Amino acid sequence: MPPTSSLARATLSETPADAAAPPHRLAAVVILSGTFMVVLDFFIVNVALAAIQHDLGAGEAALQWVVIGYGLANAAVLITGGRLGDVHGRRRVFLLGMLSFTLTSAACGLATGAATLIAARVLQGMSGALLQPQVLALLGELYRGPRRSRAFAAYGLTLGLGAVSGQLIGGLLMHVDIAGLGWRSCFLINVPIGLAALAAGLRVLPRGEQTAGSRLDLAGAALAALTLASVLGPLALGREEGWPLWSLAWLAASLPLAGLFVGQQGRAARRPGGQPLVAPALRGNRVFLLGLAVTLLFYAGNASFYFVLALYLQQGLGLSPLASGGVFAVLAAGFVAASLRAPAFAHRLGPQAIYVGALVLAAGHAMLYLALGPLHMGPSAALLPLLVLQGVGLGMVMAPLVSSILAGLPPAHAGVASGVLTSTQQVGNAAGVALVGLVFFQGRAGGTAASGFTTSLLYLLALALAVAWLYRRLARAADRLAVRP
């Protein structure tokens, strides 16, 4: 067995707390239901857009905001949502977020016009930002040692399944058309799930204690939201609009806003009794910062892959949304298989597990590029088996990545650390889709959707190799800090 690094030791070692009575067996299910719903609702709406346009008479701009309003509001509030959990108690904020997400999902499903739907989607995204950071913080709080490793692996599995299955579940709901609800069922499905999670959560989630004397840094929260909105807004809207000048100016505004945020956080930390939104213990943690960089690159590739694969299946191969979702299920099969084995991979390979997973993903991208490009094998021979391989690579990385980044961080900052990490995932998603869109549509301009997809695979290959390289640096940095006297 290879030597185990400090990253692996932090997630696999036993502690005295491990001997304590484990949480209720339903606790993890309740907690992870929040992640699944929030991620699913980002992707599931894509299948319903045509029906929404027909039913509500929504224009192209309105449809964009149905998608973007949710993601933008969610990302802008994530760090604040994490800090609210640190201040007011993670159980309390989680249940409040679940209630709010359930109600706003009902509002989306009952919307009578495009403006009403957009407003409900924005509120739904903000509600999700209360939920998501508490998920990671609660898992880290309730589980220790190998149980924590398995809990974070389950989080990675849930995260991936929510993204991969969004198109399939949406297609099935639209196809079955329960009670003639059509597109509304894509939102209303959250209501019974949310109510069940609330009822179970009140019973099985232990009451935590809020940090004495803590308060929310309102100025930091506002600057963080403005900065994230200035990054994600133009990335999401600019590509669709052909990168007009206003989108570039909006994106450029994120730099001075980020500078203001960093300066304000430093001043808040230096003031007597100051409590900045992001604690100095996180801002000065090199392992955490490197982990955020790995997360940014990985999720840029993850969202990009789903985006161009969906375009290729529907525009290049002419598949229906339901049939396209079925192909995504093949990718999900490899992902689930690897995610379920992630703790075993981490135990056997130690810090190399994520590195190997990134290389497996890179190999899948490279082989699919060769099969569809230079070798001209065609999708019928190459696509499905290589999607399984790519799913395995995604599962080997996504499931243990969170655990390796959050391991060893101060428990008092778990909520805001989770918020920062989840915000980084969102920025990676948006930036990845914006960049791969340029690659895909440029490649398609000289040929077909198949040529755009093939060109995009080279971009995805480069990102996967960058994840492998940067994670090696992360593991080495963690080892150096572990041996420092």
Side-chain angles (χ1 to χ4, degrees), residues 213-259:
S214 291
R215 62 179 183 274
L216 180 65
D217 174 13
L218 293 176
L223 284 171
L226 288 172
T227 302
L228 286 166
S230 294
V231 173
L232 293 170
L235 286 178
L237 291 168
R239 180 184 58 79
E240 295 284 348
E241 301 292 337
W243 298 106
L245 183 60
W246 62 261
S247 68
L248 299 177
W250 190 9
L251 184 61
S254 64
L255 295 176
L257 283 170

Side-chain angles (χ1 to χ4, degrees), residues 32-44 70-71 73-74 93-109 120-132 186-195 197-198 426:
L32 292 173
S33 67
T35 288
F36 184 77
M37 287 197 300
V38 173
V39 175
L40 181 74
D41 268 50
F42 184 83
F43 292 94
I44 198 173
Y70 176 85
N74 180 260
V93 177
F94 175 86
L95 293 174
L96 176 63
M98 181 65 75
L99 174 61
S100 180
F101 194 85
T102 302
L103 293 175
T104 52
S105 295
C108 290
R121 283 284 283 175
V122 169
L123 293 174
Q124 189 189 32
M126 295 173 69
S127 302
L130 294 179
L131 267 179
Q132 284 174 288
C186 294
F187 299 111
L188 294 176
I189 192 66
N190 291 329
V191 175
I193 298 173
L195 291 176
L198 270 172
Q426 294 277 35

Side-chain angles (χ1 to χ4, degrees), residues 224-373:
L226 288 172
T227 302
L228 286 166
S230 294
V231 173
L232 293 170
L235 286 178
L237 291 168
R239 180 184 58 79
E240 295 284 348
E241 301 292 337
W243 298 106
L245 183 60
W246 62 261
S247 68
L248 299 177
W250 190 9
L251 184 61
S254 64
L255 295 176
L257 283 170
L260 287 173
F261 174 72
V262 172
Q264 184 272 339
Q265 292 292 282
R267 290 191 296 274
R270 290 190 295 270
R271 284 197 301 267
Q275 296 177 347
L277 187 69
V278 182
L282 297 180
R283 300 199 307 273
N285 189 316
R286 186 164 181 263
V287 171
F288 181 63
L289 296 178
L290 272 173
L292 294 180
V294 174
T295 300
L296 183 71
L297 287 176
F298 175 73
Y299 279 90
N302 186 53
S304 297
F305 184 38
Y306 297 159
F307 178 72
V308 295
L309 179 60
L311 289 176
Y312 171 62
L313 294 174
Q314 295 187 48
Q315 296 182 8
L317 301 184
L319 299 183
S320 68
L322 184 59
S324 176
V327 176
F328 267 87
V330 175
L331 177 71
F335 175 83
V336 170
S339 296
L340 292 176
R341 296 291 298 166
F345 289 145
H347 185 75
R348 179 176 295 274
L349 300 174
Q352 303 300 320
I354 293 177
Y355 174 72
V356 171
L359 292 181
V360 169
L361 179 60
H365 291 329
M367 292 167 68
L368 190 56
Y369 168 78
L370 292 173
L372 298 181

Side-chain angles (χ1 to χ4, degrees), residues 25-206:
R25 62 183 179 274
L26 287 180
V29 175
V30 171
I31 295 168
L32 292 173
S33 67
T35 288
F36 184 77
M37 287 197 300
V38 173
V39 175
L40 181 74
D41 268 50
F42 184 83
F43 292 94
I44 198 173
V45 72
N46 293 320
V47 180
L49 289 177
I52 291 172
Q53 184 174 33
H54 179 268
D55 192 23
L56 299 184
E60 293 293 333
L63 290 179
Q64 276 189 308
W65 278 105
V66 168
V67 178
I68 293 167
Y70 176 85
L72 193 59
N74 180 260
V77 185
L78 275 169
I79 297 177
T80 303
R83 181 59 181 153
L84 284 171
D86 290 339
V87 173
H88 296 293
R90 286 147 198 163
R91 176 185 184 271
R92 179 184 301 174
V93 177
F94 175 86
L95 293 174
L96 176 63
M98 181 65 75
L99 174 61
S100 180
F101 194 85
T102 302
L103 293 175
T104 52
S105 295
C108 290
L110 299 175
T112 56
T116 308
L117 179 58
I118 292 168
R121 283 284 283 175
V122 169
L123 293 174
Q124 189 189 32
M126 295 173 69
S127 302
L130 294 179
L131 267 179
Q132 284 174 288
Q134 317 317 321
V135 169
L136 284 172
L138 283 169
L139 291 177
E141 185 179 282
L142 297 181
Y143 299 93
R144 295 290 186 271
R147 290 204 297 267
R148 175 183 285 181
S149 182
R150 290 191 293 270
F152 280 138
Y155 169 81
L157 173 62
T158 305
L159 199 67
L161 281 178
V164 173
S165 64
Q167 185 159 312
L168 177 60
I169 293 174
L172 285 172
L173 288 172
M174 295 284 290
H175 180 74
V176 174
D177 194 19
I178 303 169
L181 290 171
W183 61 268
R184 298 178 187 277
S185 61
C186 294
F187 299 111
L188 294 176
I189 192 66
N190 291 329
V191 175
I193 298 173
L195 291 176
L198 270 172
L202 286 168
R203 186 167 63 90
V204 305
L205 296 182

